[in-house]
Amino acid sequence: MSKTISGFSKLSKSSKIDWIVETYFSKNAEAKHIIKQYWNTNIKLQQLHDEFIENTITNYYLPFGVAPNFLINGEMYAIPMAIEESSVVAAASKAAKFWLDRGGFKTEVLSTTKIGQVHFMFHGNYNTLNTYFKIVKPKLIQATKHITKNMEKRGGGILDIELRDKTESIEGYFQLHATFETLDAMGANFINSCLEQFAKTFREEALNYDGFSENEKTIDIVMSILSNYVPDCLVRAEVSCPVKDLTENPSINPEEFAKKFIQAVRIAEIEPYRAVTHNKGIMNGIDAVVLATGNDFRAVEAGVHAYASRNGSYSSLTHAKIENDRFYFWIEIPLALGTVGGLTSLHPLVKLALELLHNPTAKELMQVVAVAGLAQNFAALRSLTTTGIQEGHMKMHLMNILNQFDATDDEKKTLIDYFKTHTATHSSVVDAIKKLRVNK
Ligand code: MEV
């Protein structure tokens, strides 16, 4: 059977599955059953999911969990998280509880500007181009009125368009660098539509501009696209408490804990190998909420990591200090999120997640997501600088190992009890299962 096919997207769902199974799973009698067992019996709901993308053959489940007890700016939140990593929700919940008794999280949106660019080539005199740009700029804005009308009614829209000369890097390369306020929408479609209209008007008007020589009239548009780098769409979240209140464990001295914790943050600030893992832990929290609320985690990831390298070296997204015997720990990150449009009004679980968060504005969601990142990093650093990460991690991972061995409910109960007082490693869990089964 040939492994290539044309017109795959036009086949019915069951014909697609038949082709996949016949072509790639000739030795797996279970394949069709595995694919189909994830179908939803609610036909309308299944169709909704089928139509999110092309060539859907089944659904891919991720656990949807909740981390309660987050006090944010004086209000209580239970944060929805969609994630497969076993310890993430537990760690978030633990950090939430810890800071609940110490004043909770304080957050602030610092800016909300988004960016898009028209990249083009122009081979001619810069001053002439600049004069043309100044003349055409109001026309660019006017030409997008059919796109911006509603956004403007709500208080958003195009903030500015600049001409940027990039010829030092690439001969003839310029940009229309535009800034936008998209309010509660993530704004990707809005921005891209505006940019494509800018490009069209910019190129067409140039053909009739008398100030250009014949050669200069041809502006070569390369592409028009939003940027996922949003260093001016920033949110800050912070926790703080007197150093003496910093631990709940009498065996850990609070001053020692604060010192080590701050050392761990400093290391992530100056050492990229550590910073990447440190920030990965932060993204455990951030991505989980971004995904649960129907936002684009790839866009967030790309923008956040670019921001982490903005000073020329990849660095920590969080910072910590002691001032006047008070411990401060904070994060500042760019987050372009939406609470309207996209999946937010389509996916029933996304709608539920947003409802759980009191139907937030995009600004409120930015604050909740930043808190999830900060909480996750606090939990990770607290474990790393005290007990080590494996103790808590393996406790949570224990269930995965038990499931790999098809443990019965009774076996699970016995072994979970056992590992409350014994160190769980992969091999110690495997040994314990085998022993339990031999002794039966
Ligand atoms: C694991 O998913 C995340 C951590 O490695 C983060 C960190 O090291 O800070 C625990």
Side-chain angles (χ1 to χ4, degrees):
M1 170 82 66
S2 163
K3 292 198 170 174
T4 60
I5 183 169
S6 53
F8 183 72
S9 67
K10 293 190 185 73
L11 298 180
S12 69
K13 187 165 153 185
S14 63
S15 304
K16 282 179 188 133
I17 294 170
D18 286 345
W19 185 82
I20 289 283
V21 169
E22 280 161 28
T23 314
Y24 289 95
F25 294 101
S26 54
K27 295 197 183 83
N28 183 352
E30 284 291 289
K32 199 177 268 189
H33 167 69
I34 293 170
I35 291 168
K36 287 189 173 182
Q37 75 182 350
Y38 286 94
W39 285 3
N40 201 297
T41 48
N42 176 335
I43 297 196
K44 263 190 97 181
L45 188 64
Q46 185 55 57
Q47 191 181 347
L48 179 74
H49 284 73
D50 288 352
E51 290 172 0
F52 283 147
I53 60 166
E54 193 170 78
N55 298 344
T56 308
I57 55 170
T58 189
N59 306 306
Y60 183 93
Y61 290 177
L62 274 184
F64 179 104
V66 170
N69 296 321
F70 274 94
L71 178 63
I72 307 176
N73 299 336
E75 206 173 328
M76 289 309 300
Y77 286 84
I79 300 187
M81 302 178 105
I83 187 149
E84 87 300 344
E85 191 172 326
S86 38
S87 53
V88 170
V89 177
S93 308
K94 226 170 144 189
K97 203 74 186 290
F98 182 91
W99 286 106
L100 178 63
D101 302 332
R102 292 164 179 81
F105 294 79
K106 305 280 180 303
T107 62
E108 188 188 353
V109 171
L110 304 176
S111 52
T112 56
T113 302
K114 292 170 188 149
I115 289 164
Q117 298 170 318
V118 177
H119 304 268
F120 68 94
M121 309 308 269
F122 170 80
H123 299 283
N125 182 289
Y126 172 73
N127 289 334
T128 321
L129 178 67
N130 199 22
T131 308
Y132 166 68
F133 169 68
K134 283 185 184 144
I135 293 167
V136 85
K137 184 171 161 180
K139 290 189 187 171
L140 300 182
I141 292 176
Q142 192 53 40
T144 55
K145 279 291 170 215
H146 62 291
I147 307 163
T148 57
K149 207 170 50 197
N150 286 338
M151 187 67 88
E152 278 173 4
K153 260 192 223 147
R154 299 199 299 272
I158 301 160
L159 301 177
D160 196 12
I161 314 172
E162 285 170 46
L163 173 68
R164 291 200 170 173
D165 181 349
K166 306 295 284 184
T167 51
E168 270 192 16
S169 310
I170 299 178
E171 204 228 313
Y173 171 36
F174 294 88
Q175 298 168 346
L176 296 180
H177 182 96
T179 42
F180 300 86
E181 170 55 63
T182 61
L183 306 170
D184 287 334
M186 191 269 190
N189 285 331
F190 173 77
I191 294 173
N192 289 333
S193 300
C194 289
L195 294 171
E196 288 186 5
Q197 183 62 57
F198 292 163
K200 187 167 179 281
T201 309
F202 195 65
R203 188 173 47 77
E204 283 173 3
E205 292 286 327
L207 296 173
N208 300 318
Y209 178 57
D210 289 341
F212 281 149
S213 66
E214 270 318 299
N215 265 355
E216 288 172 327
K217 283 185 195 245
T218 320
I219 285 177
D220 213 355
I221 304 290
V222 180
M223 58 189 162
S224 310
I225 187 75
L226 94 168
S227 171
N228 290 122
Y229 185 40
V230 281
D232 291 317
C233 189
L234 270 191
V235 57
R236 180 188 159 96
E238 180 184 290
V239 284
S240 76
C241 71
V243 171
K244 67 175 176 38
D245 294 346
L246 209 45
T247 76
E248 57 203 350
N249 182 341
S251 71
I252 301 173
N253 171 296
E255 281 78 21
E256 257 314 293
F257 171 74
K259 196 172 122 202
K260 263 194 155 178
F261 190 100
I262 291 172
Q263 280 168 346
V265 175
R266 292 269 176 280
I267 290 169
E269 283 170 342
I270 59 101
E271 165 56 56
Y273 279 97
R274 173 56 201 152
V276 171
T277 317
H278 178 97
N279 289 349
K280 186 275 181 186
I282 293 171
M283 299 317 285
N284 278 343
I286 289 183
D287 283 346
V289 190
V290 169
L291 200 53
T293 56
N295 276 277
D296 180 345
F297 63 92
R298 289 86 56 209
V300 167
E301 282 277 346
V304 164
H305 297 301
Y307 187 76
S309 354
R310 71 195 177 285
N311 297 322
S313 167
Y314 191 89
S315 178
S316 171
L317 294 161
T318 54
H319 307 281
K321 67 176 180 188
I322 294 173
E323 216 169 78
N324 301 326
D325 296 326
R326 205 172 166 85
F327 170 83
Y328 294 85
F329 179 48
W330 71 99
I331 187 167
E332 217 174 84
I333 42 162
L335 287 173
L337 302 175
T339 54
V340 298
L343 274 197
T344 57
S345 54
L346 278 179
H347 195 301
L349 262 181
V350 167
K351 282 201 254 179
L352 200 82
L354 289 169
E355 200 179 325
L356 179 66
L357 293 173
H358 325 302
N359 287 320
T361 60
K363 277 184 171 180
E364 286 160 352
L365 184 59
M366 284 167 78
Q367 297 172 72
V368 171
V369 171
V371 163
L374 186 69
Q376 208 64 43
N377 191 224
F378 180 77
L381 293 183
R382 189 159 77 140
S383 299
L384 285 168
T385 57
T386 54
T387 55
I389 204 75
Q390 281 308 87
E391 186 184 291
H393 199 78
M394 287 310 294
K395 278 221 165 86
M396 295 309 302
H397 191 57
L398 175 60
M399 190 58 87
N400 288 344
I401 306 175
L402 295 176
N403 281 330
Q404 274 165 21
F405 280 81
D406 285 328
T408 62
D409 287 347
D410 277 352
E411 286 174 334
K412 282 180 185 168
K413 194 171 170 308
T414 310
L415 291 169
I416 287 167
D417 272 354
Y418 175 81
F419 282 106
K420 277 185 184 147
T421 50
H422 293 80
T423 306
T425 63
H426 187 86
S427 57
S428 68
V429 177
V430 174
D431 287 348
I433 297 173
K434 285 185 180 156
K435 213 160 144 196
L436 188 68
R437 289 178 177 172
V438 167
N439 290 341
K440 264 194 178 160

